[in-house]
Amino acid sequence: MFTTKSGEQVFVIDSHTHLWDGSPANQKNIHGKQFIDCFYDYHHLGPDGYIWPKEKFERYSEEDFVKDVFEQGYADMAIFNPQYLGDFYHNGFSNLERNEAFRKQHPDRIIANGFWDPRNEEAGLKQLERDAKTYGWKGVKLYTAEWKGSSKGWKLTDPWAYRYLEKSQELGIKNMHVHKGPTIRPLNKDAFNVEDIDDAATSFPDLNFIVEHVGLPRLEDFCFIAAQEPNVYAGLAVVSALVHKRHHYFGEILGELLFWLGPDRILYGSDYAIWSPKWIVEELMSYELPEDVATETGQSLTLEVRRKIMGENAARLYSIDIADRCKKLGLRTPTASKAAKQEVAVA
Amino acid sequence: MQVPTRCGNRRQEVWSALSAVTDPELDESVTALEFITALEIEDQKRVKVEFRLPTFWCAPNFAFLMASDLRDAVAELPWVEEVSVKLLDHFSADLINRGVALRQDFRDAFPGETDDDLTALRKTFLDKAFEGRQELLLRQLLAAGYDPGWITQVTLGELMRQPLDARGDGLRSLYAFMWRRIRPNAGEEDLAFTTFDGEPLEPSEFRTYLRKVSGVRRNQEFNGLICRGLLAARNARWGEAAG
């Protein structure tokens, strides 16, 4: 819960967090090392004073997570968006059993999403059925650039991906968190190209597609698609970290998102443990759009807009009743934004 | 001390040839960015260059473009008989180094993954650099009170004669440099602001066009700032390792 200067309480759901193990013991090959090294370099884009030693960054504990995300990071709830990366790590970069054990310790606070990979074909579909039953998934993280054997990625429009989306829908897994971010292999088969979102969102109107990292550096492609597809959402992980060093630039991106998607389809996420949520939330909550951006886009960050981005939108996607959840967590219920109140009344 | 001096001159020559190569996205020299990690000259005629990019995962098309530009820049020196360019610590290093050594085209170095050749890649990056610089100057002009009607009609010569403040002047120089690069045969009387392909801009569609090029610049800026941030972190890491 974040309390504003004027004493307003804002319910916070960190929609993009990880519990990973990138330590040398878990690394399968040089790529495992280079992957976590690259994350560690990203880690340095944050403010001084929040930089961890390498060993801790490679494998941090559940206690660190509780302290950084819930105690200091203002989050009332957190969503895991795990990356498997089985070609790089022995037990996966994120491990489902470990995530689930941790979730069970904090069942009212943690939503542990899963993942699937259409390249596992028929066997993977069966696995997805078992996983959905075991873990009760409401969402999955889809990492289209994951390497698997000779394949360097896949698309949501692949025939097998279509079957996995169908299966997800059938199993009640509604939220597809699709990583579409900084470029790794931008050849013609750019695995982070956002175009496949368009087809998938049209074919599966009952599923929600949360585009993590808003497709950057393909922002206008993303906005164009999102403006047309009401079930496409913007996940702010990585983007939110720009608020610190790139004040104006962050405003330009947020202004575009507000203009094209509106305040109901933007979700806050920290991408913990790449960055600590504490400074991100503090800076986001005090951030104002630069004047030129506000004028050009006609947007402003009212308290209502902030409430939606910081928690209400994610709560809606995951059917979380904020007032009820606050009771469970022993928190004072925050005032809801008007739109959220109406929804509760309608429901 | 004839030999070392001559050797020193040749090093200098190679270095200045290398410094003309830019990172296409950051629009900055690879030597200024400290990408070059080693430079060796053997028998006064064989040059070995090694370079490293901000991350192991840098886009292979950028990397390939830079590696072949480095090779060509050095090969142009009259006394050079052999050039080897080696990219270090990159997930596609083997393919890239092999492709550059064999003077392959990009699509041949990455069979089945792209139809792009180097000319197409260069054009893409030039297009981005042009639109990026143009957008910054257009916004500067609008803020200074120039209206879209004037902007869409003005010639390069007239644009260059406008009294602008220091920032505006700097942006104009950057833009004019790129303008002349993509239109080597055009003159001062040609339109200063057109699309990358030379189409004139309509005043009624000016705002839409500006939004479009802003999008290009924003994407480029994102890559740039991630790249610079990672580079700083990586250099610090290699510095520690070396120390």
Side-chain angles (χ1 to χ4, degrees):
Chain A
M1 197 73 76
F2 185 89
T3 309
T4 66
K5 277 187 196 135
S6 57
E8 298 272 3
Q9 300 229 288
V10 176
F11 191 81
V12 177
I13 301 178
D14 190 333
S15 74
H16 199 116
T17 63
H18 301 274
L19 191 63
W20 68 55
D21 180 2
S23 65
N26 193 28
Q27 291 166 10
K28 222 181 212 179
N29 47 37
I30 181 76
H31 297 132
K33 176 180 163 28
Q34 297 288 7
F35 191 87
I36 191 71
D37 281 358
C38 180
F39 266 32
Y40 192 54
D41 288 346
Y42 265 81
H43 179 60
H44 286 82
L45 301 180
D48 300 340
Y50 287 90
I51 306 300
W52 289 356
K54 181 78 181 296
E55 292 69 32
K56 180 180 176 185
F57 188 80
E58 286 170 341
R59 195 187 197 285
Y60 47 97
S61 68
E62 283 78 349
E63 291 71 35
D64 291 322
F65 188 106
V66 168
K67 179 168 70 68
D68 296 326
V69 178
F70 297 134
E71 290 171 13
Q72 295 178 4
Y74 303 99
D76 301 294
M77 298 185 68
I79 301 174
F80 285 148
N81 274 311
Q83 267 166 289
Y84 179 56
L85 303 179
D87 270 20
F88 296 179
Y89 297 98
H90 295 294
N91 300 313
F93 187 58
S94 303
N95 182 283
L96 290 177
E97 284 82 34
R98 185 182 175 206
N99 282 1
E100 181 62 9
F102 186 35
R103 188 196 68 80
K104 281 182 174 157
Q105 292 171 23
H106 306 276
D108 293 324
R109 284 191 180 274
I110 294 176
I111 296 172
N113 281 345
F115 46 72
W116 48 249
D117 185 330
R119 293 167 299 186
N120 293 326
E121 303 189 345
E122 202 64 56
L125 279 176
K126 299 247 160 57
Q127 183 66 44
L128 175 58
E129 281 181 357
R130 287 194 293 274
D131 286 341
K133 203 175 280 177
T134 313
Y135 302 116
W137 289 343
K138 293 279 175 279
V140 282
K141 167 74 170 294
L142 303 178
Y143 195 67
T144 53
E146 177 153 352
W147 291 10
K148 189 176 170 62
S150 62
S151 159
K152 300 288 184 268
W154 55 277
K155 280 184 179 302
L156 290 167
T157 45
D158 292 345
W160 274 105
Y162 194 90
R163 291 189 57 188
Y164 277 69
L165 289 168
E166 268 180 338
K167 181 61 77 183
S168 300
Q169 185 160 284
E170 183 191 314
L171 296 167
I173 304 170
K174 287 192 70 167
N175 299 311
M176 307 290 127
H177 292 257
V178 192
H179 175 115
K180 293 286 184 186
T183 313
I184 285 184
R185 219 170 159 96
L187 312 185
N188 279 12
K189 292 179 183 170
D190 178 359
F192 290 147
N193 186 313
V194 289
E195 281 161 18
D196 54 342
I197 295 283
D198 200 356
D199 290 313
T202 310
S203 305
F204 295 92
D206 296 332
L207 297 179
N208 303 311
F209 292 85
I210 302 99
V211 176
E212 300 295 348
H213 324 305
V214 305
L216 276 167
R218 302 161 211 85
L219 184 67
E220 76 280 15
D221 292 344
F222 168 70
C223 286
F224 182 77
I225 291 165
Q228 296 175 41
E229 309 289 343
N231 53 334
V232 171
Y233 293 75
L236 287 187
V238 175
V239 180
S240 58
L242 301 176
V243 70
H244 177 63
K245 284 182 180 160
R246 302 300 300 241
H247 203 79
H248 188 272
Y249 183 70
F250 173 75
E252 286 185 56
I253 296 183
L254 193 56
E256 287 297 298
L257 294 174
L258 286 166
F259 180 85
W260 292 105
L261 282 79
D264 295 318
R265 290 196 280 144
I266 303 174
L267 277 66
Y268 156 68
S270 68
D271 225 334
Y272 180 80
I274 298 184
W275 297 290
S276 177
K278 180 174 158 57
W279 62 267
I280 298 181
V281 173
E282 286 169 358
E283 294 196 31
L284 281 182
M285 288 305 295
S286 63
Y287 186 83
E288 296 294 345
L289 290 178
E291 211 179 306
D292 60 328
V293 172
T295 310
E296 192 165 321
T297 60
Q299 305 296 317
S300 70
L301 286 169
T302 62
L303 181 62
E304 194 147 299
V305 170
R306 291 180 209 272
R307 282 191 200 285
K308 290 178 177 187
I309 294 175
M310 299 308 293
E312 287 178 4
N313 293 338
R316 195 171 71 247
L317 294 187
Y318 283 87
S319 310
I320 292 156
D321 180 329
I322 292 178
D324 176 61
R325 191 60 57 127
C326 285
K327 259 182 232 156
K328 281 185 185 156
L329 295 172
L331 300 165
R332 188 157 69 87
T333 310
T335 336
S337 69
K338 279 176 209 146
K341 266 187 205 160
Q342 277 162 5
E343 264 168 47
V344 173
V346 171
Chain B
M1 296 297 281
Q2 275 284 3
V3 175
T5 313
R6 273 173 60 206
C7 193
N9 285 345
R10 296 204 158 175
R11 258 188 98 77
Q12 207 59 53
E13 281 179 47
V14 173
W15 196 253
S16 82
L18 294 174
S19 68
V21 176
T22 56
D23 175 311
E25 192 104 55
L26 299 181
D27 217 1
E28 208 171 305
S29 158
V30 293
T31 53
L33 289 164
E34 297 179 31
F35 287 174
I36 309 293
T37 55
L39 167 57
E40 258 181 65
I41 303 172
E42 283 173 4
D43 299 335
Q44 302 281 309
K45 59 190 178 193
R46 282 191 294 277
V47 181
K48 281 186 177 174
V49 179
E50 292 184 351
F51 75 114
R52 183 185 288 128
L53 296 172
T55 95
F56 185 74
W57 308 99
C58 271
N61 57 354
F62 289 61
F64 194 87
L65 192 69
M66 275 184 263
S68 34
D69 284 356
L70 290 170
R71 177 200 63 202
D72 295 347
V74 177
E76 271 179 28
L77 296 170
W79 51 266
V80 171
E81 287 183 11
E82 210 180 295
V83 193
S84 98
V85 172
K86 196 172 167 195
L87 170 64
L88 306 174
D89 305 309
H90 187 276
F91 79 91
S92 289
D94 291 346
L95 284 177
I96 290 171
N97 291 334
R98 185 169 174 274
V100 170
L102 294 174
R103 300 192 155 266
Q104 278 179 322
D105 209 346
F106 186 53
R107 59 189 157 200
D108 303 319
F110 289 82
E113 290 200 57
T114 177
D115 299 327
D116 287 353
D117 60 8
L118 279 181
T119 318
L121 276 181
R122 282 207 178 83
K123 187 168 176 296
T124 305
F125 290 124
L126 209 57
D127 186 349
K128 284 186 187 181
F130 172 76
E131 291 185 342
R133 291 179 184 198
Q134 188 184 55
E135 188 247 4
L136 291 174
L137 178 58
L138 287 176
R139 287 194 181 275
Q140 184 74 14
L141 291 174
L142 287 172
Y146 292 91
D147 64 59
W150 182 86
I151 290 172
T152 52
Q153 296 299 322
V154 70
T155 62
L156 185 71
E158 212 178 322
L159 173 69
M160 298 312 285
R161 285 190 292 276
Q162 297 303 308
L164 298 180
D165 62 14
R167 182 178 147 80
D169 187 47
L171 293 174
R172 177 172 58 188
S173 302
L174 284 171
Y175 175 67
F177 179 82
M178 193 56 77
W179 191 93
R180 291 193 177 103
R181 194 167 152 198
I182 65 168
R183 301 198 167 80
N185 302 319
E188 304 286 285
E189 70 289 352
D190 283 293
L191 285 178
F193 296 105
T194 65
T195 66
F196 178 71
D197 296 319
E199 297 296 323
L201 307 178
E202 295 295 329
S204 58
E205 287 163 18
F206 181 75
R207 290 281 165 189
T208 318
Y209 177 77
L210 190 60
R211 264 202 111 99
K212 183 195 156 260
V213 289
S214 301
V216 172
R217 191 261 308 153
R218 260 181 225 121
N219 289 339
Q220 206 183 358
E221 196 170 335
F222 179 76
N223 280 343
L225 70 94
I226 292 289
C227 195
R228 278 175 212 280
L230 296 184
L231 180 68
R234 191 175 202 186
N235 283 346
R237 196 149 49 75
W238 283 98
E240 274 168 30

